[in-house]
Amino acid sequence: MKLFETIKKMGHEQIFFCHDEESDLKAIIAIHDTSLGPAMGATRLWPFASEEKALQDALRLSRGMTYKAACLNIPIGGGKGVIIANPENKTDKLLRAYGRFVQKLNGRFITGQDVNLSVEDVRTIRSETNYVVGVSEKGGGPAPVTARGVFLGIKAATEFCLRTQELDGLKVAVQGLGNVGKNLCHYLHEHGVKLFVSDLNRENTEYIKHLYGATVVEPNEIYCLDVDVFAPCALGGVLNSATIPHIKAPIIAGAANNQLEDEQIDSMLLESKGILYCPDYVINAGGLINVYNEMIGYDEENAWRQLKNIYNTLMEIFIRAKQEELTTHEASKRLAHDHILRAKKLRECVAK
Ligand code: NAD
């Protein structure tokens, strides 16, 4: 990878390579854009196949955080931390060493919990730094808020695409019934939606079938259903050249991160099939709204009010995409860039 060429193209400000001899820590902290505020991004621990793959992950995910916050007008920037390690080799010493690096950035980077780190691990990191979010009891965890945001996103999409304000009687296929998926099923059922669900874990599907009378389908069948909305709430990369041809739902609106396997190709493919895709980093921004509110002093009413922005922002993206003949993916990127540019101009005016 030509490092400076890559970060110039992607728009990153700074990359930190962190090494600690004693704990054998190898970590990368990527700071994408701090025009709107300090860079925030959770830290994941993963046995990356190569250092280049770890760097790519940090670069891509930190840029995603910038876009997410910018689209929703949340005054923070985009960052991401990756620790290159096997989860079996995760030690307190390693986590504390990482925490000391975060502390050295003095608030320029604020982090939290992601893949292979538990809330307990994040508390260990916090023992060395003040710049950690998502460990407080006050927010009640991000998943219910994320699910509520996805629910509001589904409302925006059905209103725009199906011209209906009522969800009653609509059919929604939910892939993945973990922390977010099960909460989403609750909100949808409350509004009279007929649920179709899949999960690799049979206990999860039986639970949702029992609670909400959902129809359970095999994991590979979920794409092919004749439903109004497909809600991916499991893994990334599920929208690709193998799955998209089977999708009959006119709307895709779910919580999973990085749903498009190839952002450019797959967003065009969805567009060509007339499918309305809700950009994942916008519709799943409830988690970020939750941690941001924890950072500024949690006020539930405030957090739930900000969630409504997910509905408004998605509407803005749908309208812009239609007017400018763009994919919704491209329209959301342009919206984020507009908000960042406006913030930069405002700062220049204040400095003059
Ligand atoms: P989770 O780990 O609690 O749940 C994921 C569920 O998906 C599990 O039940 C798992 O068995 C199931 N699953 C895995 N592979 C599957 C497959 N092929 N088919 C069907 N089911 C499958 O995760 P979560 O917290 O509910 O998050 C779900 C997604 O939303 C993730 O992509 C996550 O990155 C994203 N997200 C979550 C939050 C949050 O607040 N938790 C915020 C933003 C984005």
Side-chain angles (χ1 to χ4, degrees):
M1 180 192 290
K2 290 188 173 155
L3 189 51
F4 278 102
E5 219 170 89
T6 305
I7 64 172
K8 185 175 173 198
K9 205 164 124 204
M10 293 184 75
H12 285 78
E13 291 176 11
Q14 268 178 319
I15 320 287
F16 296 93
F17 293 89
C18 317
H19 172 241
D20 177 66
E21 181 89 48
E22 206 189 326
S23 62
D24 200 25
L25 171 80
K26 293 184 191 77
I28 300 170
I29 295 172
I31 294 189
H32 179 252
D33 191 298
T34 55
S35 309
L36 299 180
M40 191 186 273
T43 295
R44 60 175 49 175
L45 183 145
W46 194 258
F48 291 96
S50 67
E51 288 166 8
E52 185 158 342
K53 287 232 175 325
L55 179 60
Q56 273 168 356
D57 217 34
L59 294 178
R60 197 172 47 93
L61 291 164
S62 55
R63 185 182 59 177
M65 279 302 287
T66 299
Y67 289 165
K68 186 187 290 240
C71 272
L72 271 295
N73 271 321
I74 300 171
I76 58 165
K80 188 77 192 174
V82 298
I83 299 176
I84 306 169
N86 197 311
E88 288 160 19
N89 300 332
K90 183 172 69 179
T91 57
D92 278 9
K93 212 183 224 182
L94 181 108
L95 297 172
R96 292 180 81 113
Y98 178 72
R100 288 194 292 278
F101 277 106
V102 173
Q103 183 63 18
K104 277 183 200 158
L105 300 183
N106 211 17
R108 193 164 154 66
F109 173 64
I110 300 164
T111 197
Q113 176 208 359
D114 196 12
V115 182
N116 284 326
L117 289 186
S118 64
V119 171
E120 244 350 279
D121 293 333
V122 177
R123 290 202 173 114
T124 305
I125 294 173
R126 190 181 56 173
S127 63
E128 299 284 351
T129 175
N130 306 320
Y131 303 111
V132 163
V133 285
V135 287
S136 137
E137 305 297 320
K138 280 177 267 171
V145 189
T146 302
R148 185 75 195 170
V150 174
F151 171 76
L152 294 173
I154 289 176
K155 282 201 69 131
T158 49
E159 206 173 310
F160 183 83
C161 180
L162 308 178
R163 307 265 168 238
T164 174
Q165 293 191 337
E166 293 303 320
L167 295 181
D168 192 12
L170 292 187
K171 295 180 197 157
V172 178
V174 182
Q175 177 187 48
L177 303 170
N179 293 317
V180 179
K182 67 177 181 221
N183 280 293
L184 177 63
C185 287
H186 166 77
Y187 294 127
L188 292 170
H189 175 75
E190 240 183 16
H191 286 78
V193 167
K194 184 158 176 33
L195 293 166
F196 295 79
V197 297
S198 76
D199 197 291
L200 299 183
N201 182 338
R202 207 178 142 77
E203 254 176 49
N204 289 353
T205 51
E206 286 307 308
Y207 180 66
I208 297 297
K209 180 179 170 185
H210 171 73
L211 278 183
Y212 309 128
T215 303
V216 177
V217 301
E218 291 300 317
N220 56 358
E221 277 178 53
I222 197 89
Y223 302 102
C224 319
L225 300 176
D226 202 353
V227 291
D228 300 292
V229 180
F230 170 46
C233 296
L235 306 171
V238 293
L239 303 176
N240 54 51
S241 54
T243 58
I244 294 171
H246 298 287
I247 297 176
K248 294 199 188 85
I251 294 167
I252 296 179
N257 276 316
N258 302 321
Q259 291 170 30
L260 300 166
E261 191 173 276
D262 182 305
E263 291 181 349
Q264 227 45 46
I265 295 172
D266 298 323
S267 60
M268 300 277 280
L269 202 54
L270 289 170
E271 173 76 19
S272 69
K273 281 197 70 181
I275 295 174
L276 183 69
Y277 166 67
C278 297
D280 46 19
Y281 55 79
V282 180
I283 195 169
N284 73 15
L288 177 63
I289 290 172
N290 198 65
V291 289
Y292 172 67
N293 274 277
E294 185 193 314
M295 196 174 95
I296 59 171
Y298 199 80
D299 171 357
E300 194 173 347
E301 220 173 280
N302 206 20
W304 287 88
R305 203 174 38 244
Q306 283 179 7
L307 263 188
K308 291 199 181 123
N309 264 341
I310 292 181
Y311 172 96
N312 297 333
T313 305
L314 281 170
M315 274 295 184
E316 195 178 340
I317 289 166
F318 299 154
I319 292 166
R320 183 170 187 170
K322 192 170 178 189
Q323 284 174 346
E324 297 180 21
E325 296 184 359
L326 303 168
T327 63
T328 50
H329 168 70
E330 187 57 33
S332 63
K333 262 173 59 181
R334 291 193 189 181
L335 182 71
H337 281 292
D338 289 351
H339 288 177
I340 291 168
L341 210 65
R342 198 178 58 201
K344 280 184 175 160
K345 280 194 179 141
L346 206 68
R347 219 172 31 199
E348 278 165 21
C349 283
V350 172
K352 271 180 195 165

